[in-house]
Amino acid sequence: DLFISIHCNAHTDPSMQGLETYSLNLARTPDAVRVAARENAVSDKNISDLQMILTDLMLTSKIKESVDLARVVHKKGLTASRSKWTVIDHGNREAPFYVLMGAKMPSALLEIGYITNKTEAARLKTDAYLNILANGIASGIMEYKLQIERYTAK
């Protein structure tokens, strides 16, 4: 089983655009803290409290597998979307998202574009973009599945 949570991003700067993918871990950058706070509907201070709780969770969770899943899904989604559009890569990040904390399986949160950016907001409304991106994400999931199967076959 896998858990994939797909979101649209937002930013106070309307020129901000691009894709980024998160796996569960401690927030390592101010941007990761900002996105996690917004997604969790809490303040940045609450995120630091969550990070202490997360330290305990990390001992038994699927952190490594989630990082691997996030990387391959991000790569394939980005490659697919770049086949027709110019898309900025904000890469893979780690942050304490509520939605990922309860997952007992590898999990990732995908931010597929900024609704506060006119160009991306328009693109996110088209079936063409969403279908290509969805196919890329599905391709990433299948690649992750094959990686796991190769690993378990050893």
Side-chain angles (χ1 to χ4, degrees):
D1 292 338
L2 302 174
F3 179 76
I4 307 278
S5 186
I6 300 175
H7 299 245
C8 292
N9 215 335
H11 200 281
T12 55
D13 178 358
S15 69
M16 186 64 110
Q17 58 183 310
L19 298 179
E20 58 198 59
T21 304
Y22 288 87
S23 56
L24 182 66
N25 207 331
L26 304 176
R28 301 189 194 285
T29 66
D31 275 345
V33 170
R34 177 190 57 79
V35 175
R38 189 189 67 246
E39 292 289 348
N40 294 339
V42 298
S43 70
D44 292 1
K45 184 220 173 289
N46 292 102
I47 292 299
S48 63
D49 295 341
L50 282 175
Q51 298 206 121
M52 288 187 287
I53 296 167
L54 183 56
T55 301
D56 291 334
L57 286 173
M58 286 176 9
L59 298 173
T60 58
S61 68
K62 298 280 187 179
I63 298 292
K64 167 79 170 87
E65 293 91 336
S66 294
V67 169
D68 293 344
L69 172 65
R71 282 189 182 133
V72 71
V73 170
H74 179 82
K75 177 184 169 196
K76 292 291 190 172
L78 183 67
T79 299
S81 61
R82 283 182 166 172
S83 69
K84 292 187 107 175
W85 297 275
T86 301
V87 178
I88 294 174
D89 179 9
H90 290 289
N92 292 94
R93 299 178 177 187
E94 298 174 341
F97 289 103
Y98 282 145
V99 70
L100 300 178
M101 282 187 183
K104 293 179 175 34
M105 71 280 293
S107 58
L109 185 145
L110 287 65
E111 294 282 1
I112 62 170
Y114 284 79
I115 59 173
T116 49
N117 177 283
K118 286 183 183 181
T119 301
E120 285 198 344
R123 188 184 302 153
L124 286 162
K125 293 179 183 177
T126 68
D127 287 342
Y129 179 72
L130 295 176
N131 286 333
I132 285 174
L133 184 57
N135 285 327
I137 292 167
S139 174
I141 292 168
M142 292 307 298
E143 184 172 317
Y144 178 78
K145 178 182 180 287
L146 291 173
Q147 287 175 5
I148 295 300
E149 288 171 350
R150 283 193 299 266
Y151 178 75
T152 57
K154 290 182 180 180

